[in-house]
Amino acid sequence: MKGKMTDMKNLLLQIIAIAALLFTFGAQTSFAAGISVNVSINTSGLPTGPGSEIVFIFTDGSGLGDANNTATLTNFALGGGTLGISSTSGGASGDMSSTVSLTDSSLLNFFAETFSAGTSVSFLLNLTTNVDAGGTPDQFSIEIIDPNGNFFSPQDPAGDLLAINLDSASPSTSTQSSLVTVSTPGPVGTPEPATILLLGAGLAAIALSAKRPTTRS
């Protein structure tokens, strides 16, 4: 009888473990707020020689440099173009050969790199979307400047090709030019505490089940 009770407890622990793990990995809404977008900019109209410059700008809406949001750019492709010299200001680091990161740790944060234009510049942009208090959101924007110092975006007076105001958990991307294409591969972020607890419960149940000896009466 004692052996049967032990077997039933082991079976119950295994069921709990499987249910917790299935819920953890099956729930698509268990991630913290953030967006992920693929960005492609048609640069075929730029001079092909060196001297053009792409600029990624991250402004802090609160003006306090609270560093509550981060922009991470990866998977760069230049469509036959080549990279030049980079420069940074504020909470910006990295390079376009690997990863560029910007944090709103100052009022104005930017990364710039010169390049020889190919047919396009494309990359994956991941943004956290924490909303600043005070009504003025953090903003991520992109500009390209040609070798003569002119903005490569005649449609927008500020020169922005793309601007994203982090005014909600699901901000809209504002393409300021027909040269820009944006697509959304899916949400990004880190697991919420409830998800982590479920995962821990599942793993703990598996461990307990494995440790319990199976005895027969």
Side-chain angles (χ1 to χ4, degrees):
M1 183 68 178
K2 184 178 179 181
K4 291 182 179 180
M5 290 295 293
T6 301
D7 288 345
M8 289 180 65
K9 288 180 179 179
N10 285 341
L11 178 61
L12 180 61
L13 283 171
Q14 291 170 3
I15 292 172
I16 293 172
I18 293 170
L21 291 174
L22 285 174
F23 186 89
T24 299
F25 293 107
Q28 296 300 313
T29 59
S30 59
F31 287 85
I35 61 169
S36 178
V37 293
N38 291 310
V39 180
S40 180
I41 306 169
N42 180 359
T43 57
S44 59
L46 281 171
T48 55
S52 297
E53 186 174 42
I54 186 166
V55 185
F56 305 115
I57 305 166
F58 208 12
T59 55
D60 180 40
S62 69
L64 302 175
D66 52 12
N68 69 328
N69 278 306
T70 301
T72 306
L73 297 82
T74 57
N75 299 350
F76 285 96
L78 297 176
T82 56
L83 294 173
I85 300 171
S86 64
S87 59
T88 61
S89 177
S93 61
D95 61 78
M96 289 173 60
S97 63
S98 56
T99 301
V100 173
S101 298
L102 299 101
T103 303
D104 61 325
S105 57
S106 300
L107 175 61
L108 180 64
N109 312 271
F110 76 83
F111 172 94
E113 188 156 355
T114 59
F115 69 104
S116 298
T119 57
S120 63
V121 173
S122 62
F123 53 89
L124 174 66
L125 168 64
N126 288 328
L127 275 171
T128 60
T129 55
N130 298 306
V131 178
D132 276 5
T136 303
D138 294 345
Q139 185 189 70
F140 174 82
S141 58
I142 304 169
E143 297 175 354
I144 290 182
I145 304 170
D146 70 17
N148 297 318
N150 301 313
F151 288 112
F152 189 53
S153 181
Q155 295 98 326
D156 183 68
D160 292 338
L161 290 164
L162 172 70
I164 303 176
N165 290 320
L166 304 182
D167 53 4
S168 70
S170 302
S172 59
T173 57
S174 176
T175 54
Q176 310 293 319
S177 171
S178 58
L179 300 171
V180 180
T181 302
V182 176
S183 60
T184 306
V188 296
T190 55
E192 296 283 10
T195 302
I196 296 173
L197 287 174
L198 282 170
L199 176 60
L203 294 175
I206 289 175
L208 285 172
S209 175
K211 287 182 179 179
R212 284 180 178 270
T214 301
T215 58
R216 301 289 180 183
S217 57

